[in-house]
């Protein structure tokens, strides 16, 4: 398989043909088999991911995360790609039915209240849980959605652009747009919902003045979210879809004030710093939901030999909430 990336491998034409031919239940088995095959031949990449998670999660900065947690992290990575393929290739009608039936979405009421201010809403999310489902869930529930997006393959980009038209989602493609910030502000002034990510590590525009620790490593804070928020005056929410399994999800949304309360802010912090620290808390509580561990190794050196000092998988922390009982239609 050479230097073939996981995303490219799973999205190869022959593999997509298999997913679509045998249906999504069988596609799950095929995709997970292919993913395990990929990591079998890319042991260095697998080791890098485990090493990154160990560095961030282990209090003493030594050893490796438990084998069970490592397995859950890799399952989370493959689950993300399954969700990406499902939302890209399933018909919008069937996808909408699935999302409304299998995602607990009471927190949409929070978004509705924020839109009443008429200034637009920035939903900041991360590579956590079922991120691919967020824009579609909002769109099929009649929210005006614009999303800042980036694609690793032309085939997937073309497909997602076509699907976005069906859902009524506007895409700001960073590979094509000239001034992404200007376009984003324009969308917010139309009182739309702008979805963006705060953990695109390889795409950060780090501030020289404002530093932040993230998962035990010091880096310059990405300025993009702060600039968009300051120039637009839009409301800000942090939002993720927590994955319990591939049939059970829950949408979780938090206002800036709620995040500050949970984080225990004693002084004012910028929106960009707050959302990133809140995402960090979610990752430390549920490391299997984050799939940026490979990119995490690209960040600056650790603050010290030890990790963050947090013990992973603490129950009842932000983003997860109670396991849904699903009294669904």
């Amino acid at each position: 398989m050479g230097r073939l990336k996981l995303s490219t491998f799973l999205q190869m034409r022959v593999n997509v043909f298999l997913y679509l031919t045998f249906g999504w239940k069988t596609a799950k088995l095929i995709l997970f088999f292919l993913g395990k095959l990929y990591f079998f031949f890319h042991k260095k990449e697998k080791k890098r991911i485990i090493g990154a998670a160990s560095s961030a999660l282990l209090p003493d900065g030594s050893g490796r995360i438990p084998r069970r947690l490592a397995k859950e992290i890799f399952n989370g990575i493959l689950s993300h790609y399954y969700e990406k393929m499902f939302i890209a290739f399933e018909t919008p009608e069937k996808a909408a039915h699935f999302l409304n039936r299998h995602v607990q979405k009471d927190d949409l009421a929070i978004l509705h209240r924020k839109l009443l201010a008429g200034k637009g809403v920035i939903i900041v999310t991360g590579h956590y849980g079922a991120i691919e489902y967020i824009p579609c869930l909002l769109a099929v529930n009649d929210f005006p959605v614009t999303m800042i997006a980036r694609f690793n393959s032309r085939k997937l980009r073309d497909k997602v652009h076509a699907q976005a038209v069906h859902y009524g989602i506007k895409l700001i493609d960073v590979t094509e747009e000239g001034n992404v910030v200007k376009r984003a502000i324009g969308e917010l002034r139309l009182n739309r919902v702008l979805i963006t990510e705060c953990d695109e590590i390889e795409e950060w525009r780090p501030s020289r003045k404002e530093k932040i620790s993230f998962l035990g490593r010091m880096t310059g804070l990405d300025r993009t979210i702060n600039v968009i928020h300051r120039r637009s005056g839009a409301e800000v929410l942090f939002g993720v879809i927590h994955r319990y399994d591939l049939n059970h999800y829950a949408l979780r949304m938090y206002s800036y004030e709620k995040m500050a309360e949970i984080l225990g802010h004693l002084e004012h912090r910028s929106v960009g710093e707050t959302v990133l620290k809140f995402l960090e808390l979610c990752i430390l509580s549920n490391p299997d939901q984050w799939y940026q561990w490979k990119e995490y190794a690209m960040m600056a050196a650790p603050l010290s030999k030890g990790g963050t000092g947090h013990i992973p998988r603490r129950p009842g922390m932000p983003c997860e909430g109670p396991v849904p009982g699903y009294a669904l239609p």
Side-chain angles (χ1 to χ4, degrees):
M1 294 183 188
R3 296 183 179 181
L4 188 66
K5 291 184 177 181
L6 175 61
S7 59
T8 304
F9 174 57
L10 295 177
Q11 296 168 36
M12 288 176 62
R13 183 173 299 179
V14 62
N15 292 335
V16 172
F17 173 79
L18 293 175
Y19 307 149
L20 300 181
T21 299
F22 294 100
W24 292 110
K25 289 184 178 180
T26 305
K28 173 189 172 183
L29 300 177
I30 296 173
L31 188 146
F32 271 67
F33 170 77
L34 293 174
K36 292 177 180 178
L37 186 66
Y38 174 89
F39 284 116
F40 177 81
F41 286 103
H42 292 77
K43 290 183 172 62
K44 288 184 178 180
E45 184 173 333
K46 182 177 181 179
K47 184 178 179 180
R48 180 181 178 185
I49 292 171
I50 294 174
S54 300
S55 173
L57 299 172
L58 295 181
D60 60 0
S62 62
R64 289 160 54 109
I65 55 175
R67 182 175 298 180
R68 179 178 178 182
L69 178 55
K71 180 179 179 181
E72 290 173 350
I73 287 174
F74 283 102
N75 283 342
I77 293 171
L78 297 178
S79 293
H80 156 71
Y81 284 108
Y82 172 85
E83 292 154 358
K84 180 189 288 283
M85 301 304 293
F86 174 81
I87 212 67
F89 291 97
E90 182 56 279
T91 64
E93 294 77 18
K94 290 183 178 180
H97 177 77
F98 175 88
L99 294 173
N100 281 325
R101 183 173 178 83
H102 294 276
V103 181
Q104 189 185 72
K105 49 187 172 58
D106 294 348
D107 281 7
L108 286 178
I110 300 173
L111 175 58
H112 177 73
R113 290 196 298 269
K114 291 294 184 181
L115 275 174
L116 294 178
K119 296 181 179 180
V121 176
I122 305 169
I123 293 183
V124 183
T125 187
H127 292 76
Y128 178 104
I131 181 179
E132 306 294 338
Y133 289 171
I134 295 177
C136 297
L137 176 68
L138 269 54
V140 300
N141 283 279
D142 300 322
F143 289 95
V145 177
T146 299
M147 184 171 184
I148 299 175
R150 175 179 289 97
F151 304 99
N152 292 324
S153 72
R154 179 176 296 276
K155 180 179 178 61
L156 185 64
R157 182 181 64 186
D158 293 343
K159 184 62 179 179
V160 172
H161 272 271
Q163 289 287 68
V165 173
H166 290 294
Y167 286 104
I169 297 171
K170 291 185 179 180
L171 291 178
I172 301 178
D173 190 336
V174 299
T175 60
E176 296 179 348
E177 295 287 339
N179 192 325
V180 172
V181 171
K182 183 178 180 180
R183 172 76 187 280
I185 293 171
E187 293 294 300
L188 290 166
R189 288 176 177 168
L190 296 174
N191 199 31
R192 294 181 64 84
V193 178
L194 176 73
I195 302 174
T196 187
E197 299 162 349
C198 64
D199 60 344
E200 284 278 7
I201 297 171
E202 67 275 20
E203 299 295 334
W204 276 358
R205 298 177 180 177
S207 170
R208 295 180 180 179
K209 297 181 180 179
E210 194 171 6
K211 301 295 182 179
I212 186 172
S213 66
F214 180 64
L215 296 174
R217 298 195 173 192
M218 185 63 72
T219 184
L221 181 66
D222 181 44
R223 300 169 296 175
T224 307
I225 293 171
N226 284 337
V227 171
I228 294 174
H229 173 249
R230 184 173 62 252
R231 294 183 183 177
S232 68
E235 300 286 334
V236 176
L237 291 174
F238 178 85
V240 295
I241 293 181
H242 184 90
R243 178 195 309 112
Y244 295 95
D245 58 48
L246 291 176
N247 284 304
H248 298 86
Y249 301 85
L251 174 69
R252 301 295 182 215
M253 288 191 172
Y254 300 85
S255 66
Y256 172 84
E257 294 76 18
K258 187 63 177 179
M259 286 186 284
E261 176 187 337
I262 293 173
L263 291 169
H265 285 186
L266 299 178
E267 74 284 344
H268 176 73
R269 287 180 176 174
S270 69
V271 168
E273 182 179 3
T274 298
V275 293
L276 191 62
K277 294 301 290 185
F278 197 77
L279 174 63
E280 177 187 60
L281 182 59
C282 295
I283 295 169
L284 293 173
S285 304
N286 307 285
D288 60 306
Q289 298 280 317
W290 198 54
Y291 57 93
Q292 283 284 77
W293 291 113
K294 179 181 175 182
E295 283 69 24
Y296 170 74
M298 297 168 56
M299 294 180 66
L303 292 172
S304 63
K305 183 178 180 181
T308 61
H310 290 271
I311 300 174
R313 306 310 297 270
R314 293 176 293 169
M317 291 301 292
C319 299
E320 181 177 357
V323 178
Y326 290 125
L328 294 169

